[in-house]
């Protein structure tokens, strides 16, 4: 540790040292993550599939060969061919084009749930672990209540109460995903709550907001990123389940679960209606799991 400059008092020096150490830890975690991810074939495969999903959603108008919402009753239930790569559905719509546009819906739900869950889970867990006492007891018992129910069952209950639609599905899924993130953030906070650098920050007058942002975020962020990445597979499966049951995206919106549900009555004669959406759900869920496992390995400080 370097000596404080003469023109800088001890308080400023301590705060600067604490802030820079948190930033350095975060930067080292990211650097180690990118290097380790490139060296892990399984994790890199998951990353490639996720990138392809993002590209498909971004360039859907150029990748789709037909209008995904245009009905043609003269071309219903056509098998895969050169004109329709994945066949057509019961309304004559091109399955390939609807699958591509369905990636937009899947990515939208996944990203929106993640954006909602990350700050809620972190704040609940970090405040619970840092403050402790009765607040910790109340927040963790609330978390236990949500964890007592299977996430899919709880999402179905919330969706049925809120009504069908993408917005309500996102809210229902978010309400079932945040408890594991809160538990993880609390565990990470408890490991450093009594550390010297947090004690010095408190002595220098740092409030709860400063401690959370400058000291606990760098500590919790790598683990939360891994948890959220693994949760994305669960989000995709839950969203597909809600769509399959008619509680998610509503017609004519292209969504993989709803596409699979629409084709179940033609499962024998038109296998492509359920096979291709189901394969897309399986492949993307597997990709997020592989990516999450790889990130967990490379962001673990014990592997550094």
């Amino acid at each position: 540790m370097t000596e404080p400059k003469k023109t800088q008092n001890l308080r400023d020096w301590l705060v600067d040292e604490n802030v820079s150490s948190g930033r350095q830890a975060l930067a080292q975690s990211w650097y180690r993550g990118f290097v380790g991810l490139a060296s892990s074939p399984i994790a890199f495969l998951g990353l490639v599939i996720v990138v392809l999903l993002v590209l498909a959603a971004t360039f859907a108008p150029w990748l789709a060969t037909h209008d995904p919402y245009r009905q043609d009753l003269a071309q219903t239930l056509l098998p895969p061919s050169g004109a329709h790569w994945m066949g057509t559905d019961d309304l004559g719509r091109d399955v390939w084009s609807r699958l591509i546009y369905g990636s937009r819906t899947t990515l939208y739900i996944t990203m929106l749930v993640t954006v909602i869950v990350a700050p809620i889970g972190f704040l609940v867990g970090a405040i619970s672990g840092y403050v402790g006492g009765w607040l910790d007891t109340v927040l963790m018992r609330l978390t236990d209540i949500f964890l007592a129910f299977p996430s899919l069952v709880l999402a179905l209950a919330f969706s049925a109460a809120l009504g069908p639609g993408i917005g309500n599905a996102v809210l229902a899924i978010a309400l079932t995903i945040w408890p594991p993130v809160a538990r993880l953030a609390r565990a990470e906070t408890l490991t450093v709550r009594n550390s010297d650098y947090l004690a010095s920050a408190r002595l220098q007058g740092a409030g709860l907001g400063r401690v959370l942002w400058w000291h606990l975020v760098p500590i919790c962020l790598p683990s939360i990123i891994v948890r959220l990445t693994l949760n994305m597979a669960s989000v995709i499966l839950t969203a597909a389940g809600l769509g399959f049951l008619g509680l998610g995206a509503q017609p004519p919106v292209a969504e993989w679960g709803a596409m699979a549900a629409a084709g179940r009555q033609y499962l024998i004669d038109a296998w492509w209606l359920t096979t291709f959406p189901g394969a897309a759900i399986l492949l993307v869920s597997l990709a997020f799991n592989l990516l999450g496992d790889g990130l967990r390995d490379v962001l673990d400080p014990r592997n550094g």
Side-chain angles (χ1 to χ4, degrees), residues 224-290:
I224 290 180
I225 289 176
V226 173
R227 180 71 262 176
L228 290 175
T229 305
L230 292 171
N231 278 349
M232 287 180 182
S234 177
V235 171
I236 292 172
L237 292 174
T238 304
L242 295 179
F244 188 87
L245 296 174
L247 296 174
Q250 298 299 296
V253 176
E255 195 273 328
W256 294 343
M259 291 173 61
R264 59 184 171 179
Q265 57 183 322
Y266 307 104
L267 188 60
I268 302 299
D269 298 326
W271 54 268
W272 54 89
L273 296 183
T274 53
T275 299
F276 291 122
I281 295 171
L282 173 64
L283 185 63
V284 174
S285 300
L286 179 62
F288 277 113
N289 276 325
L290 295 177

Side-chain angles (χ1 to χ4, degrees), residues 15-304:
V15 173
D16 290 344
E17 284 291 319
N18 291 331
V19 172
S20 63
S21 63
R23 289 174 175 173
Q24 290 176 0
L26 179 60
Q28 290 174 358
S29 296
W30 280 104
Y31 175 76
R32 186 168 58 246
F34 283 122
V35 173
L37 198 63
S39 62
S40 174
I42 299 299
F44 189 73
L45 175 62
L47 178 62
V48 169
I49 297 175
V50 172
V51 170
L52 291 177
L53 172 68
V54 174
L55 292 177
T58 303
F59 300 102
W62 293 273
L63 294 175
T65 57
H66 298 77
D67 184 345
Y69 302 113
R70 182 178 179 274
Q71 301 179 13
D72 187 354
L73 298 181
Q75 301 190 45
T76 59
L77 301 179
L78 294 179
S81 63
H84 299 280
W85 298 346
M86 293 184 176
T88 61
D89 63 7
D90 56 328
L91 296 176
R93 296 172 297 189
D94 184 69
V95 174
W96 162 258
S97 300
R98 290 184 60 79
L99 197 72
I100 292 296
Y101 272 84
S103 65
R104 285 187 164 186
T105 306
T106 299
L107 194 63
Y108 172 78
I109 294 175
T110 304
M111 293 296 103
L112 193 56
V113 169
T114 302
V115 168
I116 295 173
V117 165
I120 293 177
F122 168 75
L123 287 176
V124 171
I127 292 175
S128 177
Y130 181 73
V131 176
W134 66 267
L135 184 60
D136 181 27
T137 301
V138 171
L139 292 178
M140 286 302 101
R141 296 299 77 78
L142 178 64
T143 304
D144 290 339
I145 292 174
F146 280 89
L147 289 173
F149 299 92
S151 59
L152 181 57
V153 174
L154 200 59
L156 289 173
F158 282 125
S159 294
L162 295 173
I166 293 180
N168 291 338
V170 168
L171 183 58
I173 297 173
L175 288 173
T176 66
I177 294 297
W178 70 266
V181 179
R183 279 289 189 181
L184 179 61
R186 178 179 181 269
E188 295 283 356
T189 302
L190 288 176
T191 61
V192 299
R193 184 175 64 176
N194 298 321
S195 60
D196 292 339
Y197 74 89
L198 281 184
S200 66
R202 288 192 293 265
L203 290 174
Q204 303 310 314
L208 178 61
R210 184 177 179 85
V211 170
L212 289 174
W213 179 251
W214 290 109
H215 302 289
L216 294 183
V217 166
I219 296 298
C220 299
L221 189 58
S223 298
I224 290 180
I225 289 176
V226 173
R227 180 71 262 176
L228 290 175
T229 305
L230 292 171
N231 278 349
M232 287 180 182
S234 177
V235 171
I236 292 172
L237 292 174
T238 304
L242 295 179
F244 188 87
L245 296 174
L247 296 174
Q250 298 299 296
V253 176
E255 195 273 328
W256 294 343
M259 291 173 61
R264 59 184 171 179
Q265 57 183 322
Y266 307 104
L267 188 60
I268 302 299
D269 298 326
W271 54 268
W272 54 89
L273 296 183
T274 53
T275 299
F276 291 122
I281 295 171
L282 173 64
L283 185 63
V284 174
S285 300
L286 179 62
F288 277 113
N289 276 325
L290 295 177
L291 181 60
D293 287 338
L295 288 175
R296 180 177 56 193
D297 294 337
V298 300
L299 293 181
D300 190 345
R302 291 170 297 184
N303 296 333

